[in-house]
Amino acid sequence: MKKLKIFFTANVLWDVYIFRYGVIKSLIDDGHEVVVIAPFDERINFEKELGIRHIPIELSMRGINPLKDFNLFLQLNKIYRKENPDIVFHYTIKPNIYGTLAAKMAGIKSIAILTGLGYSFVQGGIVSTIAKGLYKFSLRYSNEVWVLNRDDKETLINQRIVSTEKIFILPGEGVDTEKFSPIERIKNEELVFLMVARAFYDKGVREYVEAAKIIKNKGYKVKFCFLGALGGSAANGVDSLKMDEYVKDGVLEYLGHRKDVEMIINASDCIVLPSYREGISKVLMEAASMEKPIIASNVTGCKEIVDDGINGYLVNVKDSIDLADKIEKFIGLPLEKRNIMGKKGREKILKEFDEKIIIEIYRRKLWNLQ
């Protein structure tokens, strides 16, 4: 296989590191040149810390602004023409739309990877209608379109956004099963439940808080922790004032945003994610890989990882009472049963979601696209 110049273009540099560093490193080890295209992010310096070239761009994360979005197209088209990569992998909605068009105009092959259609996309509304129209127009110019689950594939095909022959299911973005492996620790005096996510209500923050209140009101001595960046001023986000309120009321312990996620997961007894929809949940894969039982919504992107009653529990979406019931059920389990759940979870990850599986898919696809 000849050595390629490969671009990874996304809207958040940190996400490239969290979700795709293993793939990128393996491709570099194979002798390929890999360049990351994303806005500047103070949390990670790819060139200094990882030795990977990074070209910063300006990108409006939320909303639809024709001028800003057209500027993104112009930036990417200029970069692609100047750099002339062999192929570009695009991630998240705006790079998928405008990056795909920019690559086509520059005569560059590209793959659009839809890491999740998102709850608003599926539920409808004006933003959803516009996004579908833009996807339908732009994705015809990508060489392939990858999704992370069967439901997203069927949605795109049924709504005639992407043709059947162009779409491919990537089974998640993988998990480093060596980094996220079981670590011995001292047993907690109180059970610790942990939610790891960006603080947005469609991740299930409200349901997590309400379930925590139900459990605490029943007198159980357990902790409910939350790890992840706040939603800030976003309409669907949990800001610092609201999070402070949850903390002051004694409902949650807020752990902020940390790089050592595996250590925080290890210090917990059960991971909870009552999300409304995911692509394939990275944190659930990481938790299961560390032999942690998981409780999550019975929705796309979560149900693929949770075998109900085997390595955790599935709950009804937007149902804090059902969530509280499953948390209470977990509290009542003997330690031996919890440990068995954890081991079953790791077995599933090793078989279906190990990062090594994903890396081989990228290698095979790159070979086929030459």
Side-chain angles (χ1 to χ4, degrees):
M1 182 177 181
K2 73 172 186 177
K3 304 311 176 186
L4 304 174
K5 187 175 186 179
I6 305 167
F7 277 20
F8 283 68
T9 301
N11 65 348
V12 179
L13 188 62
W14 179 255
D15 286 357
V16 177
Y17 171 64
I18 292 296
F19 294 106
R20 292 152 215 133
Y21 175 64
V23 170
I24 290 172
K25 185 177 184 302
S26 293
L27 294 179
I28 291 173
D29 290 343
D30 290 343
H32 302 299
E33 178 186 356
V34 179
V35 181
V36 176
I37 314 294
F40 170 79
D41 193 324
E42 63 182 11
R43 291 172 293 181
I44 185 76
N45 188 314
F46 262 65
E47 297 194 14
K48 288 186 178 179
E49 297 179 41
L50 307 175
I52 299 170
R53 188 174 166 217
H54 167 225
I55 300 176
I57 55 173
E58 294 182 1
L59 183 151
S60 177
M61 287 281 290
R62 294 184 175 273
I64 298 170
N65 184 313
L67 290 177
K68 290 183 178 179
D69 292 343
F70 184 63
N71 181 56
L72 173 62
F73 164 79
L74 292 177
Q75 289 179 78
L76 293 176
N77 183 254
K78 182 178 179 180
I79 292 170
Y80 296 165
R81 287 180 182 276
K82 178 182 177 182
E83 296 283 341
N84 193 33
D86 293 287
I87 188 167
V88 182
F89 290 101
H90 291 112
Y91 303 85
T92 63
I93 183 166
K94 291 193 177 183
N96 276 329
I97 292 170
Y98 303 107
T100 297
L101 293 173
K104 176 63 177 179
M105 292 292 289
I108 306 297
K109 292 179 180 179
S110 69
I111 292 178
I113 304 178
L114 282 62
T115 55
L117 294 183
Y119 182 73
S120 60
F121 184 98
V122 178
Q123 291 301 303
I126 184 64
V127 174
S128 173
T129 300
I130 294 172
K132 290 176 184 178
L134 290 171
Y135 264 147
K136 189 172 184 178
F137 174 72
S138 65
L139 294 182
R140 71 181 72 177
Y141 298 114
S142 64
N143 290 76
E144 289 188 0
V145 177
W146 297 2
V147 295
L148 304 189
N149 58 71
R150 189 168 298 279
D151 288 350
D152 285 356
K153 175 181 178 179
E154 291 176 357
T155 296
L156 292 172
I157 292 173
N158 292 339
Q159 297 190 21
R160 298 182 179 180
I161 295 172
V162 180
S163 59
T164 304
E165 62 274 10
K166 181 175 282 190
I167 203 163
F168 169 76
I169 298 178
L170 181 73
E173 295 196 85
V175 58
D176 184 342
T177 56
E178 295 177 9
K179 177 180 179 181
F180 292 92
S181 60
I183 304 172
E184 287 193 24
R185 64 174 175 84
I186 300 173
K187 180 182 175 182
N188 292 324
E189 293 183 5
E190 299 176 336
L191 282 181
V192 175
F193 293 90
L194 173 67
M195 179 174 174
V196 184
R198 289 196 182 103
F200 289 97
Y201 285 111
D202 59 3
K203 291 292 185 181
V205 174
R206 184 177 290 108
E207 289 74 16
Y208 185 57
V209 169
E210 291 174 353
K213 289 179 179 178
I214 292 171
I215 294 297
K216 286 179 175 288
N217 287 338
K218 288 187 175 184
Y220 290 108
K221 301 298 182 183
V222 298
K223 292 182 180 179
F224 290 90
C225 299
F226 187 94
L227 174 67
L230 294 174
S233 59
N236 194 37
V238 180
D239 59 21
S240 58
L241 290 176
K242 196 63 180 177
M243 185 59 74
D244 287 345
E245 180 184 319
Y246 295 148
V247 173
K248 289 177 182 177
D249 289 345
V251 182
L252 299 184
E253 292 186 18
Y254 179 53
L255 306 179
H257 183 273
R258 300 270 295 270
K259 289 187 177 182
D260 57 339
V261 177
E262 67 274 18
M263 301 310 297
I264 306 300
I265 291 175
N266 185 58
S268 68
D269 296 288
C270 179
I271 304 300
V272 182
L273 185 63
S275 179
Y276 298 175
R277 190 181 179 93
E278 297 285 316
I280 286 286
S281 171
K282 184 79 165 182
V283 68
L284 291 184
M285 291 191 293
E286 291 169 348
S289 185
M290 294 188 72
E291 295 189 355
K292 298 296 178 181
I294 48 184
I295 300 175
S297 302
N298 187 13
V299 297
T300 299
C302 294
K303 63 184 180 182
E304 292 83 355
I305 304 167
V306 183
D307 292 331
D308 193 32
I310 305 299
N311 67 326
Y313 296 118
L314 289 170
V315 302
N316 300 326
V317 65
K318 295 185 180 180
D319 191 339
S320 56
I321 294 176
D322 188 37
L323 177 58
D325 287 345
K326 294 302 182 351
I327 290 173
E328 187 173 21
K329 187 175 182 178
F330 179 81
I331 293 172
L333 290 177
L335 179 60
E336 181 182 3
K337 178 63 175 176
R338 293 181 205 145
N339 290 339
I340 292 173
M341 272 190 164
K343 291 183 183 302
K344 290 293 183 181
R346 181 163 174 83
E347 289 174 8
K348 182 178 180 68
I349 296 301
L350 289 170
K351 181 180 179 181
E352 301 177 30
F353 299 106
D354 194 310
E355 187 177 63
K356 298 181 183 69
I357 298 171
I358 308 303
I359 291 168
E360 287 307 313
I361 290 173
Y362 272 84
R363 285 171 171 156
R364 186 173 71 248
K365 288 291 185 177
L366 287 169
W367 177 272
N368 292 339
L369 283 168
Q370 289 190 81

